[in-house]
Amino acid sequence: MANSRIDFSASFTQDSDEVQEMFCEVCDKHDKQYVPAEGFCEECFEYLCETCLKYHRVYKKSHTIKDKDNMPQDFCLEKCSVHQDELVKFYCQACKKFACTECKTRDHGNCGMVGHLPALVPGIENSQEVKELNENLDELMKDLGNTEKHVNINMKYVTSQETKILDTVMKKKKEILSVFEKHHKDIIQNFEKKKEETFQKLEEEKKEKIEKLQDNQRKLEKLLNDEENEIKKKIEIIKRDDMKIVQAITEETSKMKIKLKAISTELVHHQNTDQRCQLYVAMKKGQEIIEQLKPDIDKQCKDNSIHYYKVKCKAFEQNATNLQDFHKFFTYKEIHESEVPRTASYYTDIKFTCHSFSSLCLLTKDCLLITEFDSCKLIIFKDLSVSNSSYDTIH
């Protein structure tokens, strides 16, 4: 899976694809007009145009005004979800919520940990918090990739398992019928030999025996067909349930990947456009989404389980007169995943030379253990799904 981690040191040196200029909040709120801001009031936390600044200085003489060159440049243009005409300007560390001026007064008056966004965001692009957010995104994307890989493996196994079991049943069915037919022929041949001595008597006996054998054969075929159909229905139900599970996990995994990619894309966009306040907002929202997704991802991993089973055939004796003893030729049994035969692929371009070994053990689907006899050591290949798999050596 590709690494989607953001390089902050590089992103802020790129040309911005979106030039932003702060506007007068008073003109925007009351007149719905866009007028470039020429200053900033530190008490009101408002950007003002030249006209509004003139009146502000008259009616708010005690307020501190910063001109256009000194006013905060890290502004946030996101609207408050509660007050549609207000901009998001603050972040409450205690409540972990963003707030406009009205929300700050109404909901966070006693919090004591409310900060103005431009004062919080300097250096945010290189902060440990953004770094950890990107690391969490990478880890969750990796987990989803592993889940997808194992879902694909399970989907293939669901189909192959059905094919293998049905092939086994069909082959055993043919073998049983072949044994039965051979025995039938042997009986007929035996009566043919005796027919010459007592033709009339044996002819009648032969007819009776053939009819009985044919009746028994029909019964046997019916028994085998009934059992074959029963096994088909059973594994079809299991297959349908397994496919529902893996398909549902695949759909949920895709949805979660889309959410995580959206977070990562938004982070990169705000970094590349020097939008630190927007980056801060996106970072906090991304953290909330990741915390919400983690239990769901863990649940997908736990739910990613299918049924495993096998069918055995009872040995069939040639005595065709004892069909009543063969009510069940096949036994169906569900098994644990650990009982499923596993194989490991060895890639010739793995940089490893083993002169002699005493045994191999496939610890998991992707982990292979080799015991090397001559040097008395253990070699562990960690990931057999790639040709350049790394390995550890234990003496």
Side-chain angles (χ1 to χ4, degrees):
M1 183 177 66
N3 191 337
S4 61
R5 183 168 297 158
I6 302 169
D7 184 354
F8 287 108
S9 62
S11 64
F12 278 90
T13 63
Q14 299 173 1
D15 294 334
S16 172
D17 60 357
E18 184 178 338
V19 178
Q20 291 184 319
E21 181 180 26
M22 190 55 197
F23 52 83
C24 176
E25 295 180 62
V26 176
C27 292
D28 176 67
K29 184 188 303 183
H30 298 290
D31 300 329
K32 305 300 180 183
Q33 292 184 353
Y34 176 87
V35 182
E38 298 293 333
F40 176 78
C41 176
E42 290 190 337
E43 280 72 25
C44 299
F45 296 101
E46 280 187 329
Y47 290 89
L48 303 167
C49 65
E50 185 177 355
T51 301
C52 292
L53 278 173
K54 181 171 65 176
Y55 287 103
H56 203 83
R57 287 190 174 100
V58 171
Y59 293 104
K60 305 286 185 178
K61 294 182 179 180
S62 62
H63 287 196
T64 302
I65 304 296
K66 286 194 173 183
D67 59 24
K68 187 171 185 178
D69 294 333
N70 296 313
M71 68 183 186
Q73 298 301 315
D74 289 316
F75 41 82
C76 177
L77 301 180
E78 185 165 333
K79 295 289 187 177
C80 177
S81 60
V82 179
H83 307 94
Q84 301 295 325
D85 293 332
E86 296 288 339
L87 292 177
V88 173
K89 298 181 179 180
F90 307 94
Y91 182 73
C92 179
Q93 300 285 354
C95 302
K96 297 186 181 302
K97 291 184 178 179
F98 290 95
C100 65
T101 302
E102 293 189 26
C103 288
K104 174 178 177 291
T105 303
R106 186 188 67 182
D107 301 328
H108 305 282
N110 299 322
C111 290
M113 297 179 69
V114 181
H116 190 217
L117 284 178
L120 297 175
V121 301
I124 187 65
E125 65 274 14
N126 297 317
S127 69
Q128 182 66 23
E129 197 169 4
V130 172
K131 179 181 178 182
E132 291 176 355
L133 175 60
N134 279 298
E135 290 175 350
N136 282 336
L137 285 170
D138 289 346
E139 187 65 27
L140 291 178
M141 290 295 286
K142 180 179 179 182
D143 291 343
L144 289 174
N146 290 334
T147 298
E148 282 186 328
K149 180 176 71 174
H150 288 107
V151 164
N152 290 333
I153 291 173
N154 282 342
M155 289 181 72
K156 291 179 180 178
Y157 194 89
V158 167
T159 301
S160 64
Q161 182 176 226
E162 177 197 28
T163 302
K164 182 178 179 182
I165 292 299
L166 292 180
D167 285 346
T168 300
V169 171
M170 183 178 64
K171 289 177 182 178
K172 290 297 181 181
K173 173 186 171 184
K174 289 181 179 179
E175 290 176 8
I176 292 171
L177 290 174
S178 177
V179 171
F180 186 89
E181 290 172 359
K182 183 179 181 302
H183 183 57
H184 188 180
K185 291 177 181 179
D186 291 341
I187 293 175
I188 294 174
Q189 289 174 0
N190 183 49
F191 277 93
E192 285 290 337
K193 291 179 183 180
K194 295 180 180 181
K195 184 177 65 173
E196 296 178 356
E197 300 176 359
T198 54
F199 179 82
Q200 187 64 36
K201 181 179 178 181
L202 291 180
E203 189 67 21
E204 294 176 357
E205 212 172 312
K206 171 187 160 183
K207 183 179 179 180
E208 180 182 348
K209 289 289 183 181
I210 290 175
E211 289 177 353
K212 185 175 181 180
L213 289 169
Q214 290 175 340
D215 183 61
N216 282 344
Q217 182 169 354
R218 286 192 295 271
K219 291 179 180 178
L220 177 63
E221 288 179 343
K222 185 179 185 305
L223 285 173
L224 292 172
N225 288 333
D226 290 345
E227 285 198 56
E228 181 184 21
N229 292 332
E230 180 181 350
I231 291 175
K232 280 184 177 179
K233 290 179 182 178
K234 184 175 294 186
I235 63 177
E236 181 62 30
I237 293 172
I238 293 173
K239 176 187 174 182
R240 184 170 61 248
D241 293 341
D242 287 342
M243 291 300 288
K244 284 182 180 179
I245 292 173
V246 296
Q247 288 172 355
I249 293 175
T250 299
E251 293 174 1
E252 289 302 317
T253 299
S254 297
K255 292 178 183 177
M256 289 187 282
K257 287 184 71 175
I258 290 172
K259 289 184 180 180
L260 295 176
K261 287 180 180 178
I263 296 172
S264 181
T265 300
E266 188 176 3
L267 290 175
V268 172
H269 172 72
H270 292 319
Q271 288 173 305
N272 291 341
T273 55
D274 268 357
Q275 297 176 341
R276 293 182 178 88
C277 287
Q278 296 296 94
L279 175 60
Y280 190 85
V281 173
M283 178 187 68
K284 290 298 183 180
K285 291 183 176 180
Q287 290 171 339
E288 288 183 11
I289 294 174
I290 286 175
E291 289 303 314
Q292 293 170 0
L293 288 181
K294 281 182 178 180
D296 294 335
I297 292 175
D298 291 339
K299 184 177 184 300
Q300 297 301 319
C301 292
K302 293 178 181 177
D303 291 345
N304 185 20
S305 177
I306 60 174
H307 295 83
Y308 298 91
Y309 50 86
K310 61 182 179 181
V311 172
K312 287 186 177 181
C313 180
K314 184 188 296 183
F316 180 73
E317 298 179 3
Q318 293 187 359
N319 188 349
T321 60
N322 294 328
L323 284 179
Q324 63 272 19
D325 298 331
F326 288 86
H327 296 298
K328 285 289 183 181
F329 289 90
F330 299 95
T331 57
Y332 167 90
K333 178 183 178 184
E334 291 200 8
I335 59 176
H336 190 267
E337 184 180 2
S338 61
E339 297 179 58
V340 177
R342 295 176 291 180
T343 58
S345 299
Y346 181 81
Y347 295 87
T348 56
D349 56 344
I350 294 180
K351 297 179 180 180
F352 170 78
T353 301
C354 184
H355 298 290
S356 66
F357 57 84
S358 59
S359 63
L360 299 172
C361 179
L362 192 61
L363 301 178
T364 67
K365 293 179 180 178
D366 297 321
C367 185
L368 177 67
L369 173 68
I370 298 177
T371 60
E372 190 171 12
F373 181 75
D374 288 347
S375 57
C376 297
K377 62 183 179 183
L378 298 176
I379 299 94
I380 302 176
F381 284 96
K382 298 179 180 177
D383 189 359
L384 294 176
S385 62
V386 295
S387 59
N388 58 344
S389 175
S390 61
Y391 61 88
D392 292 333
T393 303
I394 303 174
H395 292 275

